Amino acid sequence: MTDTRRRVKVYTLNEDRQWDDRGTGHVSSGYVERLKGMSLLVRAESDGSLLLESKINPNTAYQKQQDTLIVWSEAENYDLALSFQEKAGCDEIWEKICQVQGKDPSVDITQDLVDESEEERFDDMSSPGLELPSCELSRLEEIAELVASSLPSPLRREKLALALENEGYIKKLLELFHVCEDLENIEGLHHLYEIIKGIFLLNRTALFEVMFSEECIMDVIGCLEYDPALSQPRKHREFLTKTAKFKEVIPISDPELKQKIHQTYRVQYIQDMVLPTPSVFEENMLSTLHSFIFFNKVEIVGMLQEDEKFLTDLFAQLTDEATDEEKRQELVNFLKEFCAFSQTLQPQNRDAFFKTLSNMGILPALEVILGMDDTQVRSAATDIFSYLVEYNPSMVREFVMQEAQQNDDKTEKTEFLGFFYKHCMHVLTAPLLANTTEDKPSKDDFQTAQLLALVLELLTFCVEHHTYHIKNYIINKDILRRVLVLMASKHAFLALCALRFKRKIIGLKDEFYNRYIMKSFLFEPVVKAFLNNGSRYNLMNSAIIEMFEFIRVEDIKSLTAHVIENYWKALEDVDYVQTFKGLKLRFEQQRERQDNPKLDSMRSILRNHRYRRDARTLEDEEEMWFNTDEDDMEDGEAVVSPSDKAKNDDDIMDPISKFMERKKLKESEEKEVLLKTNLSGRQSPSFKLSLSSGTKTNLTSQSPATNLPGSPGSPGSPGSPGSPGSVPKNTSQTAAITTKGGLVGLVDYPDDDEDDDEDEDKEDMLPLSKKAKFES
C-alpha cells in the first residue's frame, strides 16, 4: 500500500505570481553525492521520474504554512512549494529540514531565528548602531554583502536603515552610480543594483522620501536598470523622459501638486515595471512602498478637490460645444483617472469627493457627453458613470428621479418596454435558455454560474417593476421552469438566485402566475432541492421554508391546496418547524368549508358583524341569526329554510363528525401506502421527481388502482369530478397544455378576464346541485 503521508504536489511560482502544478509524487530526504548534502527528492507517482531534487541549504529560509505546505526560494525569482496530502508527512519532512539547519521544528520560518549566540545578540542590541563601510568604488561589493546579510534579521535591518538615514548614505551611493556609468564599470553597477534593491526591502518611509525626491528618483531608477540577471540593461529612464509625456489638459498652477503627480507616476512605475517580482518572503517587505503610493494619491485627490478654479474650468470645457473632439477626449480621460484615484479614499472622504463633483455638475456633463458620436469619449464617460453608480448610487438615483419628474412621459415608457420585450429580452435570456434544456444545467462552471446569476437578478427586477410585459413573457416562454433547473446547480449562490426569482413571483400573489406554477408543477424542483439539502441548517433550507411560510401566512388557497395534494408525503415528516403542518391545517380547513357550505355560511355570518356587538349574550346572537330576514343577507350567503331551522345541534355538527371519520380513514390508508413507498420526507433526500410528457407526477408512489382520500383523482377530493370544489376536465376552467419539442407551453386562459372576487370563486367551485339548492 502506498504511503500517503509522503504524497505531495510540487508547485513553482511563475512570472505572473501564479503557482504552476509540476506534478504529483512522493517525497523523501537523503544525501545526494552530486549536490554534496542532504536533499529533498520527489519522484512522480505515475512513472517514477524525478520531479524535484533540491539541496537543503543551511541558509535558505523555509516556511511551513497551514500544516501541509512548505515554501522556499532556491534562487531569485524561483520559488518552490510542496503541498502534502497529510499533516504527518509535512511534519516529518519539516523535521528533516530543521535538523539540517539546526533549528527547532516548532518554528514556522527557519530563518526567523538569528544565527548569533545570545551574548552576541545582547551585544548587538546594546551597541549604538551599525558602522557602514566608506562609500567608495572599491568597497561596493562589501556594501552589497552587508546589505544582503542584514535583510534576514529584523534587528539588523533596523540598524542598517538608521545608519543609511543618519549618514546621508543614499546620495553618496548615487554619486558613485554616475562615476560607474561614466567609467562603464559594469561590475560596480551590478553591485549598486543589489544595494538599491536591498534598501527597498528595508521598508522604511524615511529612506523612500530621500530616494523618491526630485533630485534622486531618476538615479535610483538608473541603478535598477543594471540587473545582473540581464545581458543588457533596461532603458527605464529613456522611457520616462522621452516616451511618457505629461500633458496638462487644464493648467495646474500649484507647483507642489504638479510635483506630487510626477512623483506618484514614477514611483508607481518603479513598483510595477522596474522592481523584480518579489518572492514569497519579500512581498511583506514592500508594504511601505504600497502605502507611499496610496497616500500620494489621497493627497492628489484632496488638492485637486480644493482647487475650485481647476474643476470649474474642467467642467466648463467638457460641456462647451466649441471644445474640439481631441481636447474633449483628453478632458474625459483625465476625469476618468481622477475618479479612479478616488478609490484610494476612505468612505467618508470618497463621499465628500463625489459630492464635490456633483456640485460641479458632473451628471449633467456626462449626460451631454454620452449623447455625442465619439465612441471613445462615450466609453470613458461610461466608465466614469460606473464609478458614480458604484460609490454613490443615491446621487445618481436622485438625479434620475429629478429628470423623470421633469419629463414624465408614460407613453414613452410603454413604448420602450414594448420594444425591449420584443427585440431585446431574448438576448438577455439566451444564456439561461441555452443552459437549461435538460433537468440540470448543461454547463455548471463558475463563470457560467456568475453570468446566470446576473441574468436572474435582472429578471427578478423585471418581475417587480414590469408586471404586465414580464408576466406574458414568463408564461409564454415557460421561463420559470427553465430558471428552476438551476436549483440543481452545484453553486449555492446560483440555486438561491433561482429560488429568489420564484419567491418574487409568489410574493405578487397573482393568480395568473399561480395557475401557471400549478399547471407546470413548478414546486417539484424546490421540494427536491429541499429534500436533497437534507438536515443541513443553511441558507437554502431557511429560504425554502420562508417561501412556504409566506404561502401559509398569506393564505394563498390555490398554492396551499396544490402543495398539500402533491407534496405532502415528502414534507409531512418535517417537524422542526410548524410551517408544513400549518399548511396542512389550512388545507383541511379549506376542504371543510368546501364540503360543508352550511357550516361555512354560519361562520361567514358570524364573521361579517352585521349586527351590533354589545353586551348581548351568545343566546341573543344565535336567536338574531335564526330570525334574520332572507332579504337582509348578502349575496353568496346560505339561506336557511324553516325546516332547517328546526334541526337540532346534532344535525349541524353531523358534517364535522363525518369529516373526522373521513380523516381517520385517510390516515389509516396513508399508513398502509407508506409501507409500500420508499419516500420518507427528510430521511430520503435521494428520491427523484420526474415530469412525464402530458401527465402530472406526484411525489407519492401510488399504484394505479390506489386512490387515497384527498388525493387528485380520488372520490371526495377537491380535484376529482363529482366532489365539492372540482371542475370537470372538459370545462373551460382548465387551461390547455400544448407540447412542442419536448417543452410544455401554456396557451392563454379563457377565464383570465374574470373577476377574482373571493365570494364568486367560492360559488364557482360548488357543484351544480348545491348551487341550485342555494339559489332556489
Side-chain angles (χ1 to χ4, degrees):
M1 183 176 177
T2 305
D3 185 5
T4 58
R5 290 183 307 165
R6 298 287 188 93
R7 191 167 186 262
V8 296
K9 275 186 175 293
V10 180
Y11 292 94
T12 59
L13 196 67
N14 62 29
E15 294 180 354
D16 299 325
R17 307 302 297 163
Q18 301 294 323
W19 288 103
D20 292 333
D21 185 354
R22 295 301 184 186
T24 303
H26 292 84
V27 64
S28 61
S29 62
Y31 185 83
V32 176
E33 181 66 29
R34 183 175 62 83
L35 299 177
K36 304 296 183 183
M38 292 293 293
S39 304
L40 297 177
L41 306 172
V42 179
R43 295 194 176 276
E45 64 178 1
S46 58
D47 56 6
S49 60
L50 194 62
L51 295 178
L52 176 69
E53 187 179 57
S54 173
K55 180 182 177 181
I56 303 176
N57 193 313
N59 298 319
T60 298
Y62 291 85
Q63 184 176 5
K64 185 169 73 168
Q65 301 175 359
Q66 303 172 0
D67 293 333
T68 57
L69 193 66
I70 297 177
V71 184
W72 71 98
S73 295
E74 287 216 336
E76 187 171 351
N77 296 333
Y78 188 68
D79 295 346
L80 288 162
L82 292 180
S83 177
F84 289 78
Q85 181 173 328
E86 295 184 11
K87 179 179 181 297
C90 183
D91 292 342
E92 187 177 335
I93 295 299
W94 183 251
E95 288 179 6
K96 294 287 186 183
I97 295 172
C98 292
Q99 181 181 349
V100 172
Q101 294 197 341
K103 307 296 181 183
D104 185 347
S106 63
V107 301
D108 289 333
I109 304 177
T110 59
Q111 292 304 310
D112 263 1
L113 298 177
V114 182
D115 294 333
E116 306 163 311
S117 66
E118 288 299 319
E119 291 183 3
E120 289 173 332
R121 289 187 64 201
F122 180 78
D123 293 340
D124 218 8
M125 292 173 64
S126 59
S127 62
L130 186 69
E131 184 177 351
L132 294 171
S134 58
C135 196
E136 301 173 359
L137 281 178
S138 59
R139 306 194 71 175
L140 281 177
E141 183 176 2
E142 183 182 349
I143 298 170
E145 290 177 353
L146 175 64
V147 172
S149 64
S150 300
L151 292 177
S153 167
L155 181 62
R156 289 184 177 180
R157 286 203 305 269
E158 183 72 18
K159 289 188 175 184
L160 176 60
L162 290 173
L164 292 170
E165 291 174 30
N166 297 334
E167 299 181 21
Y169 210 77
I170 292 177
K171 291 185 178 180
K172 296 177 182 178
L173 288 170
L174 296 179
E175 290 174 4
L176 285 181
F177 167 70
H178 287 289
V179 174
C180 288
E181 272 206 319
D182 293 340
L183 298 175
E184 297 183 357
N185 184 347
I186 300 301
E187 183 180 0
L189 291 171
H190 286 169
H191 290 317
L192 282 167
Y193 170 89
E194 298 292 348
I195 293 169
I196 296 298
K197 177 191 169 187
I199 294 175
F200 269 95
L201 296 177
L202 293 177
N203 213 23
R204 296 277 293 199
T205 303
L207 296 178
F208 288 156
E209 289 175 353
V210 176
M211 296 167 71
F212 300 152
S213 63
E214 187 71 23
E215 59 178 318
C216 295
I217 189 167
M218 295 304 290
D219 290 338
V220 169
I221 294 173
C223 290
L224 294 173
E225 290 180 347
Y226 292 93
D227 186 347
L230 302 176
S231 58
Q232 294 293 328
R234 298 289 178 87
K235 298 182 178 181
H236 297 301
R237 287 173 293 174
E238 181 180 333
F239 172 81
L240 290 173
T241 55
K242 296 181 179 179
T243 306
K245 297 293 183 181
F246 177 70
K247 181 177 288 188
E248 296 181 54
V249 292
I250 300 290
I252 298 175
S253 57
D254 187 348
E256 183 184 355
L257 172 59
K258 190 181 298 186
Q259 188 274 333
K260 187 72 68 176
I261 293 173
H262 283 296
Q263 184 189 59
T264 305
Y265 175 77
R266 290 166 179 169
V267 176
Q268 186 85 57
Y269 182 83
I270 290 173
Q271 181 191 43
D272 297 340
M273 304 300 297
V274 179
L275 284 177
T277 305
S279 67
V280 174
F281 305 104
E282 294 173 343
E283 284 184 345
N284 293 333
M285 294 181 178
L286 293 174
S287 59
T288 305
L289 179 61
H290 303 323
S291 300
F292 187 94
I293 297 171
F294 172 85
F295 288 113
N296 263 21
K297 290 182 178 179
V298 171
E299 284 188 56
I300 292 171
V301 172
M303 295 169 76
L304 285 174
Q305 188 177 340
E306 293 170 2
D307 192 341
E308 292 187 4
K309 183 180 183 306
F310 179 87
L311 292 177
T312 302
D313 292 346
L314 173 65
F315 286 106
Q317 293 190 34
L318 267 176
T319 55
D320 189 355
E321 294 182 358
T323 305
D324 61 76
E325 293 301 320
E326 183 179 355
K327 179 69 172 179
R328 182 174 281 108
Q329 183 174 344
E330 292 174 352
L331 291 167
V332 173
N333 288 335
F334 169 80
L335 185 57
K336 175 184 173 181
E337 189 171 358
F338 190 29
C339 291
F341 270 35
S342 70
Q343 295 181 72
T344 62
L345 299 175
Q346 296 296 321
Q348 56 186 15
N349 295 333
R350 190 166 58 235
D351 291 342
F353 168 77
F354 283 115
K355 187 175 182 180
T356 300
L357 293 185
S358 177
N359 294 336
M360 299 303 297
I362 187 171
L363 284 171
L366 288 176
E367 188 177 18
V368 173
I369 297 168
L370 289 170
M372 295 179 176
D373 296 332
D374 193 321
T375 55
Q376 291 184 339
V377 171
R378 287 207 313 270
S379 175
T382 303
D383 291 336
I384 298 169
F385 188 72
S386 67
Y387 284 123
L388 298 175
V389 172
E390 181 176 0
Y391 293 113
N392 202 330
S394 59
M395 180 180 74
V396 179
R397 191 182 305 115
E398 183 179 351
F399 177 79
V400 172
M401 291 300 295
Q402 290 174 353
E403 290 287 300
Q405 290 173 1
Q406 295 172 4
N407 185 24
D408 187 11
D409 189 350
K410 298 190 182 302
T411 304
E412 182 179 344
K413 176 182 176 182
T414 302
E415 290 177 355
F416 167 75
L417 290 178
F419 176 87
F420 177 78
Y421 279 89
K422 183 176 181 180
H423 300 286
C424 308
M425 194 61 166
H426 68 280
V427 179
L428 176 63
T429 57
L432 170 69
L433 298 177
N435 205 43
T436 54
T437 55
E438 305 295 335
D439 292 337
K440 60 181 181 180
S442 54
K443 289 180 62 179
D444 205 18
D445 58 278
F446 183 73
Q447 184 177 1
T448 302
Q450 280 190 313
L451 172 63
L452 293 177
L454 293 174
V455 171
L456 291 183
E457 186 176 349
L458 289 171
L459 289 177
T460 304
F461 174 87
C462 293
V463 167
E464 185 174 4
H465 297 281
H466 305 165
T467 53
Y468 170 76
H469 293 84
I470 191 65
K471 185 193 302 181
N472 287 342
Y473 190 84
I474 288 174
I475 293 176
N476 292 332
K477 300 292 185 181
D478 201 14
I479 294 296
L480 179 55
R481 184 182 67 80
R482 305 295 284 270
V483 167
L484 292 176
V485 170
L486 302 177
M487 293 286 292
S489 171
K490 67 182 180 182
H491 301 285
F493 72 90
L494 181 58
L496 287 167
C497 286
L499 183 63
R500 188 185 307 120
F501 179 72
K502 179 170 183 177
R503 174 64 177 82
K504 182 65 70 175
I505 289 176
I506 291 176
L508 298 176
K509 297 189 287 187
D510 188 312
E511 279 303 310
F512 285 95
Y513 277 130
N514 292 347
R515 285 197 290 267
Y516 162 56
I517 290 171
M518 293 185 294
K519 291 291 181 182
S520 300
F521 293 90
L522 296 181
F523 276 101
E524 260 188 31
V526 178
V527 174
K528 185 175 182 179
F530 181 69
L531 298 180
N532 287 340
N533 192 59
S535 58
R536 290 187 290 259
Y537 180 60
N538 52 19
L539 189 56
M540 177 64 72
N541 175 277
S542 300
I544 293 176
I545 290 176
E546 188 278 333
M547 184 177 70
F548 285 110
E549 180 69 11
F550 177 83
I551 296 172
R552 185 192 70 81
V553 171
E554 296 296 322
D555 195 16
I556 306 177
K557 295 179 176 59
S558 56
L559 295 184
T560 299
H562 177 76
V563 170
I564 296 302
E565 288 175 354
N566 294 282
Y567 309 105
W568 173 243
K569 277 291 184 183
L571 303 171
E572 63 178 338
D573 290 336
V574 180
D575 54 6
Y576 54 89
V577 291
Q578 297 302 309
T579 297
F580 301 109
K581 288 181 170 54
L583 273 176
K584 183 71 181 307
L585 180 60
R586 289 275 195 194
F587 173 71
E588 290 174 346
Q589 291 171 344
Q590 184 178 338
R591 284 278 303 273
E592 180 185 348
R593 287 195 296 270
Q594 292 173 355
D595 291 348
N596 304 280
K598 190 181 301 182
L599 200 62
D600 185 50
S601 298
M602 180 180 71
R603 289 174 178 165
S604 176
I605 294 171
L606 291 175
R607 243 189 350 254
N608 281 339
H609 300 283
R610 302 190 66 256
Y611 45 85
R612 294 192 315 275
R613 301 194 63 84
D614 48 21
R616 288 190 179 94
T617 62
L618 180 61
E619 289 79 6
D620 292 333
E621 292 178 329
E622 290 179 346
E623 183 177 355
M624 177 178 285
W625 177 68
F626 280 109
N627 292 330
T628 300
D629 190 4
E630 179 179 340
D631 295 335
D632 292 336
M633 290 191 173
E634 293 182 355
D635 293 339
E637 294 181 351
V639 180
V640 184
S641 63
S643 59
D644 290 336
K645 293 179 182 179
K647 292 182 179 180
N648 56 24
D649 291 344
D650 292 338
D651 294 331
I652 295 175
M653 298 304 294
D654 182 60
I656 297 178
S657 302
K658 291 180 179 179
F659 168 74
M660 295 304 294
E661 290 176 4
R662 187 175 71 248
K663 182 179 177 183
K664 291 179 181 178
L665 176 61
K666 175 183 174 182
E667 290 176 350
S668 63
E669 292 189 7
E670 284 179 345
K671 289 179 180 178
E672 180 180 350
V673 173
L674 194 60
L675 297 175
K676 299 178 182 179
T677 180
N678 60 352
L679 180 61
S680 58
R682 302 283 282 202
Q683 281 70 36
S684 180
S686 61
F687 91 107
K688 295 184 178 179
L689 299 166
S690 63
L691 280 172
S692 59
S693 178
T695 61
K696 179 181 71 175
T697 304
N698 287 337
L699 295 179
T700 53
S701 301
Q702 297 184 18
S703 63
T706 305
N707 285 322
L708 299 181
S711 64
S714 66
S717 69
S720 61
S723 66
S726 67
V727 180
K729 292 182 178 179
N730 58 352
T731 65
S732 63
Q733 298 275 337
T734 305
I737 300 179
T738 59
T739 304
K740 184 176 181 180
L743 300 178
V744 179
L746 302 181
V747 301
D748 294 337
Y749 292 99
D751 59 341
D752 280 352
D753 297 328
E754 292 183 3
D755 194 352
D756 289 335
D757 186 82
E758 182 179 353
D759 292 336
E760 292 187 11
D761 285 346
K762 284 183 179 179
E763 187 173 339
D764 290 342
M765 294 188 69
L766 294 174
L768 295 177
S769 59
K770 289 204 174 186
K771 288 171 69 173
K773 177 179 178 181
F774 289 155
E775 293 171 358
S776 61

